[in-house]
Amino acid sequence: MVDGGVVDGGGGVTARPGPRLVVPAYFHPAVRPADWATLAGWGSAVRLVVLNLADGPGPIHDPAFDAPLAAVRAAGAAVACYVDTGYRSRPVHEVAADLARYRDRYPADRTVFFDRVSATGDDLDHYAGLAERARAVGMGTVVFNHGVHPDPAYARYADLLGTFEGTWEQYRRAVVPRWARQRDPAGALHLVDSVPRRRLAQARALVARHGAGAAYITDAAADRVHGPNPWRRLPAIGPW
């Protein structure tokens, strides 16, 4: 049994109350084909699958993703296009170009996952403009991934705020501000890596106590062998 779903006899997942999964699927179907097949089997436990080809849309359309993405969508999950904002360092025209490439190459997807989003109020107008531009080109859902709790005013412009991204040891010590606890949990996303397998149940319970309605928990970690990407595969155990 998992938060957000119950594993059935065929390996799929049926919906139940609790945090739903937002999966940073930063792995290629040619490298991890079984992971993409497993991901489709998680069904309605998955809220979003984040499509990140090369820290963005990549240079060209990659047909290797077509069938796996179709399977994920058919299972009931939305697909979000990954766009790096560089904590405001990327010019607006570059961000807009990434959005246009996703729309041209993967037209079925109407959700944008803005990553490395600033957290300070000084940059609020910049990101409000990005959200407005994204919605104007057809993005029905906007995600801001700050990785920390931002100025609460950011919640006016995004449907989902990524308010934690880090390791299990950091998550255990994380403090959730009052304004975040008072919000609808459906608007908060927590991404936790480096979780020991024996601590997965504890991590799931902590997500609920921290008031996040969307989460992803993995035992994978950034390291010298595999590089800085803890989202390079699915977790070794279960749909977390």
Side-chain angles (χ1 to χ4, degrees):
M1 183 175 293
V2 298
D3 290 357
V6 178
V7 179
D8 63 29
V13 178
T14 57
R16 57 161 286 185
R20 295 181 67 198
L21 301 176
V22 172
V23 182
Y26 302 172
F27 43 86
H28 197 278
V31 178
R32 309 286 303 189
D35 279 8
W36 278 95
T38 299
L39 182 54
W42 290 352
S44 59
V46 180
R47 178 173 172 179
L48 289 175
V49 173
V50 183
L51 174 63
N52 182 2
L53 288 83
D55 290 333
I60 60 173
H61 171 254
D62 189 340
F65 282 91
D66 291 347
L69 290 177
V72 165
R73 295 187 196 102
V79 176
C81 56
Y82 174 98
V83 178
D84 179 22
T85 71
Y87 301 110
R88 197 183 172 172
S89 67
R90 294 191 72 205
V92 171
H93 73 270
E94 289 186 7
V95 173
D98 277 358
L99 277 172
R101 292 185 186 103
Y102 273 113
R103 288 180 62 241
D104 291 343
R105 299 170 190 171
Y106 308 96
D109 304 324
R110 299 184 61 253
T111 299
V112 59
F113 183 95
F114 285 121
D115 197 18
R116 299 203 301 163
V117 175
S118 299
T120 68
D122 292 343
D123 292 334
L124 183 63
D125 288 347
H126 173 79
Y127 284 99
L130 289 184
E132 182 179 3
R133 182 181 289 257
R135 296 188 194 280
V137 298
M139 297 294 169
T141 301
V142 173
V143 182
F144 285 165
N145 186 35
H146 307 273
V148 297
H149 285 93
D151 185 306
Y154 279 91
R156 302 173 191 163
Y157 304 103
D159 303 282
L160 182 63
L161 298 181
T163 55
F164 180 89
E165 181 174 352
T167 67
W168 166 238
E169 289 303 318
Q170 293 168 331
Y171 197 54
R172 291 172 60 194
R173 300 190 298 271
V175 176
V176 181
R178 178 176 294 181
W179 72 263
R181 292 184 180 277
Q182 293 174 341
R183 293 187 69 229
D184 183 348
L189 164 65
H190 292 172
L191 301 172
V192 189
D193 64 77
S194 310
V195 182
R197 296 183 189 182
R198 69 184 185 281
R199 299 297 185 190
L200 288 172
Q202 183 181 350
R204 292 194 292 268
L206 191 55
V207 167
R209 290 201 298 273
H210 281 344
Y216 185 72
I217 296 173
T218 181
D219 61 307
D223 57 39
R224 293 181 181 178
V225 176
H226 301 99
N229 176 21
W231 322 122
R232 64 185 177 274
R233 63 166 172 83
L234 293 183
I237 299 176
W240 284 92

